Amino acid sequence: MPARGRVWGLVFATIAFGLFAFGLLGLVALALAALLLAAGLSESRERVIAVLVGGAGLTFILASPAGAFAAALGAYSLMVAAAFAGGALLAPAGLWRQAIRATLWGVAGTAALGRGLRGTRFWAELQWDVSHQASSAVRSVVERWPDSYPMYEPMVHFFGTAFPGLLALETLAALTLAWQWHQRLATAPLGAPAAPFRQFEFGDLWVWGLVAVLMVWAVPKLAALKGVALNLGLVLGVLYCLRGAAIVVTFAASAGIPLWTLTAGTVVALVLVVPLLLLIPGLWTLGVFDTWLAFRRRRGGQSTVR
């Protein structure tokens, strides 16, 4: 994520986020407006931006297609944005902890609201709506590439089960993006900007989450928890891959390898697929073993994102 002041980097990051997580652009806008409001709106420019961005976020949510998931996502976005800005103002912590805290508040609040309005049917309706949307999306791919039909049912089942984990990852990215825009636009930001990507790290105790996931999949009596394990494993798997990528970026910079070379290699891996199947497990393994070996600290680096 670009540092404060690099506005074109933020614009590019926002466009990239919209391509991969269009449904949460409303959360980015609402979180930014809430952060500006919590920071005090000391200048008229900030007040205008907060009104415009907040209005755009609400419009985005209200204009979403009807459905159980869209309604839940709108409520979730409002709660997460409020919790993120409120936490930054009343109980400041690092960006990572604030984002995790706001995500958990959003999940708890949305679950309580859904249970109150829809009763025990809430989760079933939500999962059916997500599976229906996934089925439509995957069907369009199969119609274009008929050879991919054997992947139809596994992909629909995956998205229907793993959408909470995917939503959590998109939420963390959305809040980071809103935080960096807040750093750029606020006269007196509520905290420090996100550290450079090469310093990305999180608490070592998270590795026990991976142990729990493996236990659930290995013990037959815990089969009822496989859905929870899948989502937790997805979130931790992506985060550990990012941690491994941050280590690679750090060592590449030390060796004088330019960033564009790493970017080009990643694009080639994405296009060819086969190198990607080797790259992802390698980055994941590197990120997990960093828990004990602390590769960057051994070279004198300082990790600040926790």
Side-chain angles (χ1 to χ4, degrees), residues 204-216 228-229 232-233 236 240:
D204 294 339
L205 293 179
W206 285 91
V207 75
W208 289 104
L210 293 178
V211 175
V213 170
L214 293 175
M215 285 185 60
V216 169
V228 177
L232 179 60
L236 292 179
Y240 276 108

Side-chain angles (χ1 to χ4, degrees), residues 33-86:
L35 287 170
L36 291 173
L37 180 63
L41 301 176
S42 58
E43 296 184 1
S44 58
R45 174 183 61 88
E46 295 179 30
R47 290 191 286 271
V48 172
I49 294 174
V51 170
L52 292 177
V53 172
L58 290 174
T59 301
F60 187 90
I61 290 175
L62 294 175
S64 299
F69 181 69
L73 186 61
Y76 171 80
S77 298
L78 289 168
M79 294 180 189
V80 170
F84 188 57

Side-chain angles (χ1 to χ4, degrees), residues 8-298:
W8 289 112
L10 281 172
V11 171
F12 177 78
T14 304
I15 294 173
F17 178 83
L19 293 176
F20 289 96
F22 181 77
L24 284 185
L25 282 176
L27 172 58
V28 177
L30 291 173
L32 174 57
L35 287 170
L36 291 173
L37 180 63
L41 301 176
S42 58
E43 296 184 1
S44 58
R45 174 183 61 88
E46 295 179 30
R47 290 191 286 271
V48 172
I49 294 174
V51 170
L52 292 177
V53 172
L58 290 174
T59 301
F60 187 90
I61 290 175
L62 294 175
S64 299
F69 181 69
L73 186 61
Y76 171 80
S77 298
L78 289 168
M79 294 180 189
V80 170
F84 188 57
L89 178 64
L90 302 176
L95 172 59
W96 170 255
R97 293 180 182 176
Q98 288 182 178
I100 291 288
R101 185 172 57 192
T103 302
L104 293 176
W105 275 111
V107 170
T110 305
L113 181 62
R115 183 63 182 267
L117 294 177
R118 305 297 298 174
T120 56
R121 298 175 297 171
F122 171 68
W123 177 254
E125 292 176 354
L126 195 63
Q127 193 169 26
W128 182 90
D129 193 24
V130 173
S131 298
H132 178 69
Q133 294 182 33
S135 177
S136 300
V138 177
R139 188 183 300 114
S140 64
V141 175
V142 171
E143 290 174 353
R144 181 169 296 183
W145 292 286
D147 292 340
S148 63
Y149 179 76
M151 297 296 297
Y152 176 78
E153 289 189 7
M155 290 297 292
V156 172
H157 176 72
F158 172 78
F159 285 113
T161 305
F163 74 90
L166 295 171
L167 180 60
L169 291 169
E170 293 171 355
T171 300
L172 295 177
L175 294 180
T176 302
L177 187 59
W179 183 260
Q180 292 298 87
W181 273 113
H182 165 65
Q183 294 291 323
R184 178 67 178 81
L185 297 173
T187 304
L190 294 174
F197 175 68
R198 64 179 179 274
Q199 297 180 9
F200 179 76
E201 189 182 30
F202 45 91
D204 294 339
L205 293 179
W206 285 91
V207 75
W208 289 104
L210 293 178
V211 175
V213 170
L214 293 175
M215 285 185 60
V216 169
W217 283 92
V219 179
K221 291 185 178 180
L222 299 177
L225 298 176
K226 281 190 175 181
V228 177
L230 174 63
N231 284 278
L232 179 60
L234 175 64
V235 173
L236 292 179
V238 171
L239 292 178
Y240 276 108
C241 280
L242 290 175
R243 186 167 176 168
I247 296 171
V248 171
V249 170
T250 301
F251 279 76
S254 300
I257 300 175
L259 182 60
W260 70 265
T261 303
L262 296 177
T263 304
T266 303
V267 172
V268 171
L270 288 171
V271 173
L272 298 180
V273 179
V274 175
L276 189 65
L277 298 178
L278 301 176
L279 178 64
I280 291 179
L283 292 177
W284 180 85
T285 303
L286 190 62
V288 171
F289 276 90
D290 187 55
T291 302
W292 301 282
L293 298 179
F295 298 108
R296 286 164 290 182
R297 291 196 208 110
R298 289 172 180 264

